[in-house]
Amino acid sequence: MTYHPKSDFLHVMIERGFLADCTDYQGLDDALISGVVPGYIGFDATATSLHVGSLMQIMTLRWLQKTGHKPITLMGGGTTKVGDPSFRADERPLLTPEKIDENIAGIKKVFSTYITYGDGPNDALMLNNAEWLDGLNYLDFLRDIGRHFSVNRMLSFESVKSRLDREQSLSFLEFNYMILQAYDFLELNRRYGCRVQFGGSDQWGNIVNGIDLTRRVLDQEIFGMTTPLLTKSDGTKMGKSASGATWLDADLLSPYEFWQFWRNMPDADVGRFLKLYTELPVEECDRLGALEGAEINEGKIALAREVTTLLHGAEAAAGAEATAREVFEKGGTGEDLPTLALTADDLGDGISIVQLITRSGLAKSGKEAKRLIAEGGARLNDEAVTDTGLMVVASDLGTPIKLSAGKKRHALVTLAN
């Protein structure tokens, strides 16, 4: 990236590694230094929370607000009824309106920890595209909006082309998605003066569509900026872990487990992720990322602490760090570990170690739990488990027992009162 921006926002985006591409660097930069620029990202409401895979987009909006501009979080109450086909092998399951509303309420909680909503000039807006999509008249929409789209061009977009190249079905419903997303940008510009859309680099085609449509219909100059699609240095996707999605909601993933996710990052990712997911100065991110050997753990702990503080607060981050120190350095149990509380009825005459490992979330299935034991990765109170037939009875739970899968994943099992 050789462009040298004048605006604080673009400077941060380039310096910290957020910027993959932009439709017009100079035009966006000029807009950013001439006044408050509203910018949006769309999020489809397919789950009750967002996970770490959305965190780069959320941080983009946070930096937009911190540099004096206005974030718009657009919830896809309308488009979720269709489903984005981008780079998917199959059609998304369709959700009921009630489930979509429930998901939106859950996602709102996550956003409000990162950005400030309100009525001020650069306070964020939370909008729902059902506001303009639900009331559309199909024939009017075809005549006024559909005529601006070339099917030939739509078929050339990589997100659609890759699906067709694999000879996988693409329904007409999904094919409409890019038109609806483009229409979102037009309506956000018309109603709220939105000037820029952000998204992952897989959204480039959809973003460009929205810019073209808005220029044709409203004759407005608007912009698009994409962030890189991120994988960890070991090739795995951000947001996924051995136990499933890394959620941004404490009810779905405890602050300790969230802290642990970042603490376990590959060495090679520490500096890059500190720049993207924390607000530490770039020089400090580079210093921590350059540490080698055992010293890199200082960088990993800083990463875990800073990211957890942004989401869950300083107290939760400090508690997670203290628990980790107790578990790893002192061999203790730690109060904040994920806990499985069993009743006397659950236990009956005893419960197998395989069931305990599965129910505590350390394995996804009994088969995986047995493999963990066979490979020597399962521990009970820091002692290796070798017998898949081992039974745990109520008297064993006079004090909580600690289960471990490998060196880094732990859970407590207690007897409920």
Side-chain angles (χ1 to χ4, degrees):
M1 166 52 60
T2 53
Y3 183 74
H4 299 290
K6 302 186 192 75
S7 63
D8 289 343
F9 176 71
L10 272 187
H11 175 75
V12 168
M13 291 294 100
I14 292 170
E15 185 179 43
R16 299 188 81 96
F18 283 87
L19 201 150
D21 214 339
C22 180
T23 55
D24 179 357
Y25 291 100
Q26 188 66 59
L28 178 56
D29 204 21
D30 290 345
L32 289 161
I33 59 177
S34 62
V36 175
V37 171
Y40 93 98
I41 300 178
F43 296 85
D44 276 349
T46 51
T48 54
S49 174
L50 298 172
H51 62 62
V52 163
S54 298
L55 195 49
M56 193 193 297
Q57 306 302 329
I58 297 171
M59 291 299 291
T60 299
L61 291 179
R62 181 176 169 88
W63 280 112
L64 186 71
Q65 186 167 54
K66 281 173 72 77
T67 53
H69 303 284
K70 190 178 187 72
I72 297 173
T73 47
L74 179 67
M75 302 310 303
T79 38
T80 302
K81 295 169 186 171
V82 176
D84 182 1
S86 295
F87 300 95
R88 287 183 61 86
D90 50 19
E91 191 169 347
R92 287 185 188 276
L94 298 181
L95 304 178
T96 64
E98 295 75 23
K99 182 59 180 169
I100 290 170
D101 288 343
E102 181 190 325
N103 289 349
I104 287 173
I107 290 169
K108 275 184 182 179
K109 281 196 313 182
V110 173
F111 279 120
S112 59
T113 64
Y114 288 94
I115 52 182
T116 303
Y117 292 91
D119 302 320
N122 81 317
D123 283 344
L125 293 174
M126 170 73 77
L127 302 174
N128 185 338
N129 63 12
E131 180 186 330
W132 50 84
L133 293 181
D134 278 6
L136 283 178
N137 177 295
Y138 187 59
L139 290 178
D140 289 345
F141 184 72
L142 283 180
R143 184 193 63 206
D144 298 338
I145 303 300
R147 66 191 178 90
H148 294 291
F149 289 84
S150 157
V151 171
N152 306 53
R153 186 157 181 259
M154 290 166 73
L155 288 170
S156 73
F157 283 126
E158 191 58 36
S159 57
V160 172
K161 193 165 171 287
S162 62
R163 184 93 158 255
L164 297 177
D165 286 347
R166 294 193 301 269
E167 297 184 1
Q168 287 162 328
S169 173
L170 178 72
S171 72
F172 182 67
L173 178 71
E174 293 175 287
F175 192 55
N176 272 268
Y177 185 92
M178 65 176 74
I179 299 179
L180 296 177
Q181 185 172 327
Y183 186 67
D184 281 346
F185 204 170
L186 183 151
E187 284 296 332
L188 285 169
N189 181 263
R190 177 157 44 201
R191 295 170 185 235
Y192 301 97
C194 184
R195 299 288 306 279
V196 58
Q197 181 183 357
F198 306 102
S201 54
D202 60 336
Q203 293 297 312
W204 180 257
N206 289 335
I207 291 171
V208 169
N209 263 340
I211 291 171
D212 288 348
L213 179 66
T214 306
R215 283 176 179 161
R216 290 180 184 195
V217 176
L218 301 179
D219 194 26
Q220 288 290 320
E221 183 75 10
I222 58 176
F223 311 97
M225 190 198 103
T226 57
T227 54
L229 290 182
L230 210 58
T231 55
K232 292 186 276 188
S233 59
D234 60 10
T236 56
K237 279 180 77 173
M238 280 300 290
K240 302 293 182 184
S241 66
S243 54
T246 305
W247 298 107
L248 302 178
D249 184 327
D251 292 335
L252 298 175
L253 189 81
S254 72
Y256 171 78
E257 290 172 291
F258 185 75
W259 188 96
Q260 221 24 80
F261 171 81
W262 296 97
R263 171 66 180 81
N264 294 337
M265 281 296 160
D267 296 0
D269 292 327
V270 172
R272 181 171 58 132
F273 287 178
L274 280 164
K275 289 179 193 173
L276 291 170
Y277 298 117
T278 82
E279 293 172 350
L280 288 177
V282 169
E283 300 75 22
E284 179 66 356
C285 297
D286 286 336
R287 182 190 75 80
L288 290 167
L291 296 173
E292 295 180 350
E295 290 186 350
I296 192 65
N297 289 326
E298 181 193 341
K300 293 183 180 184
I301 290 169
L303 176 65
R305 180 192 308 128
E306 295 294 325
V307 182
T308 306
T309 297
L310 279 176
L311 178 61
H312 294 301
E315 192 175 329
E321 191 169 339
T323 297
R325 193 173 295 116
E326 186 178 333
V327 169
F328 297 115
E329 293 177 15
K330 301 176 186 173
T333 53
E335 294 175 2
D336 292 342
L337 285 179
T339 300
L340 171 65
L342 297 174
T343 64
D345 288 342
D346 290 328
L347 284 160
D349 295 328
I351 186 169
S352 75
I353 190 68
V354 169
Q355 278 186 284
L356 278 186
I357 291 171
T358 307
R359 289 185 60 178
S360 65
L362 294 177
K364 292 179 183 175
S365 65
K367 185 177 178 183
E368 188 178 308
K370 287 176 182 176
R371 185 168 67 246
L372 183 71
I373 293 169
E375 293 172 353
R379 301 180 85 78
L380 176 65
N381 289 335
D382 297 319
E383 296 292 330
V385 176
T386 55
D387 178 10
T388 55
L390 178 68
M391 300 295 288
V392 173
V393 296
S395 59
D396 295 324
L397 293 171
T399 57
I401 62 174
K402 183 172 85 172
L403 289 176
S404 304
K407 295 179 180 178
K408 297 178 178 179
R409 295 173 55 233
H410 310 273
L412 294 184
V413 182
T414 64
L415 189 60
N417 293 328

